[in-house]
Amino acid sequence: MDPSFSSVNGFYTLLNHGLDDLGHSFNTHNFMSIQFLQKVLSSLCYFHSQLTVLVQKLHLPVGEKWLDEYMDESSRLWEACHVLKTGVSSMENYYSSGANIASSFDGLHHFNPQVSRQAIRAIMGCQREIVVLEEENKSLMETRVGQLSLKLDDENIMQESKFNAFNGFRGVLYAMRNVSTLLLMILLSGLVFYWPKSSFCQEGYEGHIIFGSGFMVSLARLQQRVTNEIVHQIGGQPGLMLFEFRKAKTAMEDLKEELEKVVEFESEEFDEQIQEKIECLKNCFGLLRCGVETIVGQIDDLFDEIVEGRKKLLDMCGHR
């Protein structure tokens, strides 16, 4: 941890800077793209690792409730990561099917009605997989995420004396819980499933300042920015919001429409347009596959970070 962030107030500043940095990334990355979600995941992992470092510096009493509270929060993060990995991994069949469809056109330069009908049937099968995938992910969110209390804390802020408990640890944990909640909501909406009645619709927290820290203001700004983008980009409709997923979905529909023209007009004059759509489809599914594999690797890194953090604190308490 940077020396300037090695105190309780410094940790609030670290959160503040990190959240503002995520807000600025909207200007450089497509909303809910792999790159954007990688940045969210990296921030979540970094915040958690720095929380562990801070706890080690606070000289907290052994056997007190603070350790249980830390373990409860890290367990919540662990369970949320399992939901994330399950949802992300479920895309494998979809992008494999899409890639197989794209590669089935290799060597073809002319598209007659018979070939086009076969390709359309394959595409429609893959599109049905999308419906199944989103339904399964929606069910996953309803059954598993509901148990994780992923709701931003808009209750009255605790008394300052409670925040000061355990050398300020309780206030830090409160902050981390809210930040983790928002970041997990973003990740789940992008990688698993989003529905309008999520905590993104809650009111903001501009008035919540902890010991002069503005991290809740930064949290509110990020939350509002995400909400606005959801409405602007997809009209707030439920579904899997990953940019590369939606782009591949659109590319497949575009190819299907071109093939339908061949069937309707029984003409090969659309060959050039179809070849362009095929190349676009290949690129989209290639990017989706690489992106999903990268995200899964990052989730595994976060699992490792959670395990390492718990082990460090348990060892610290055991050696006193």
Side-chain angles (χ1 to χ4, degrees):
M1 178 182 280
D2 187 310
S4 62
F5 297 142
S6 60
S7 65
V8 168
N9 286 335
F11 186 77
Y12 292 137
T13 302
L14 180 147
L15 293 179
N16 192 25
H17 289 175
L19 292 170
D20 284 345
D21 186 46
L22 283 176
H24 295 150
S25 68
F26 281 84
N27 301 322
T28 55
H29 302 308
N30 289 310
F31 180 62
M32 290 297 182
S33 65
I34 292 293
Q35 286 183 312
F36 175 72
L37 295 173
Q38 278 184 278
K39 194 170 181 65
V40 174
L41 257 174
S42 294
S43 297
L44 183 59
C45 189
Y46 179 66
F47 291 156
H48 186 270
S49 68
Q50 297 310 299
L51 173 65
T52 305
V53 172
L54 175 63
V55 171
Q56 291 174 294
K57 294 177 180 293
L58 291 180
H59 305 292
L60 300 174
V62 176
E64 294 285 348
K65 193 177 180 182
W66 69 267
L67 184 59
D68 291 337
E69 293 175 4
Y70 173 91
M71 292 298 178
D72 287 344
E73 179 57 22
S74 63
S75 294
R76 187 181 77 117
L77 183 57
W78 176 273
E79 289 301 321
C81 286
H82 269 292
V83 177
L84 274 173
K85 188 168 182 180
T86 301
V88 173
S89 299
S90 69
M91 277 189 263
E92 182 177 349
N93 287 339
Y94 168 62
Y95 66 64
S96 295
S97 296
N100 288 338
I101 290 172
S103 63
S104 70
F105 293 110
D106 290 348
L108 280 176
H109 302 289
H110 303 290
F111 298 87
N112 58 42
Q114 182 181 359
V115 170
S116 297
R117 287 192 189 95
Q118 290 174 346
I120 289 169
R121 283 195 292 272
I123 289 173
M124 291 177 67
C126 193
Q127 289 175 328
R128 285 192 291 271
E129 286 187 32
I130 296 175
V131 176
V132 173
L133 167 63
E134 292 196 318
E135 282 299 317
E136 288 178 349
N137 280 9
K138 180 183 178 182
S139 176
L140 179 66
M141 290 285 285
E142 290 173 340
T143 56
R144 297 276 297 277
V145 174
Q147 303 169 8
L148 299 177
S149 300
L150 290 182
K151 181 180 179 182
L152 293 170
D153 187 357
D154 60 349
E155 302 298 326
N156 291 328
I157 294 298
M158 295 185 293
Q159 295 177 356
E160 185 168 318
S161 60
K162 290 187 177 181
F163 271 123
N164 277 325
F166 304 120
N167 297 336
F169 168 78
R170 187 161 282 160
V172 165
L173 193 64
Y174 171 88
M176 188 63 198
R177 182 178 179 84
N178 276 282
V179 169
S180 295
T181 292
L182 179 58
L183 299 189
L184 286 169
M185 283 159 45
I186 293 171
L187 291 166
L188 289 165
S189 295
L191 298 168
V192 184
F193 193 84
Y194 163 80
W195 67 87
K197 293 182 180 180
S198 73
S199 294
F200 286 123
C201 302
Q202 291 177 238
E203 294 181 359
Y205 307 89
E206 287 85 347
H208 291 196
I209 307 294
I210 300 176
F211 307 147
S213 168
F215 93 89
M216 286 299 271
V217 177
S218 296
L219 188 72
R221 278 199 298 261
L222 181 59
Q223 177 207 7
Q224 190 58 52
R225 185 71 185 269
V226 172
T227 302
N228 292 343
E229 289 294 328
I230 287 173
V231 173
H232 175 70
Q233 297 282 351
I234 63 168
Q237 295 301 308
L240 204 161
M241 293 179 58
L242 180 64
F243 175 79
E244 286 79 5
F245 175 87
R246 289 185 287 122
K247 195 170 180 182
K249 186 177 175 182
T250 300
M252 185 175 291
E253 182 60 29
D254 288 346
L255 175 58
K256 179 168 162 280
E257 289 176 0
E258 290 296 327
L259 292 168
E260 286 171 342
K261 291 178 185 177
V262 175
V263 174
E264 181 180 356
F265 298 107
E266 298 186 354
S267 170
E268 295 183 1
E269 66 179 85
F270 305 103
D271 287 351
E272 186 176 342
Q273 295 95 311
I274 290 173
Q275 289 292 353
E276 291 175 359
K277 301 298 183 184
I278 291 170
E279 286 306 310
C280 180
L281 189 68
K282 285 181 179 179
N283 290 336
C284 286
F285 276 102
L287 289 172
L288 179 61
R289 177 178 180 175
C290 291
V292 166
E293 290 174 351
T294 300
I295 289 289
V296 169
Q298 275 194 277
I299 294 172
D300 286 339
D301 290 342
L302 183 50
F303 276 129
D304 292 342
E305 177 58 44
I306 295 168
V307 172
E308 185 64 23
R310 291 168 68 95
K311 183 176 182 299
K312 283 179 180 178
L313 297 191
L314 288 171
D315 288 348
M316 180 185 76
C317 292
H319 291 137
R320 284 188 185 174

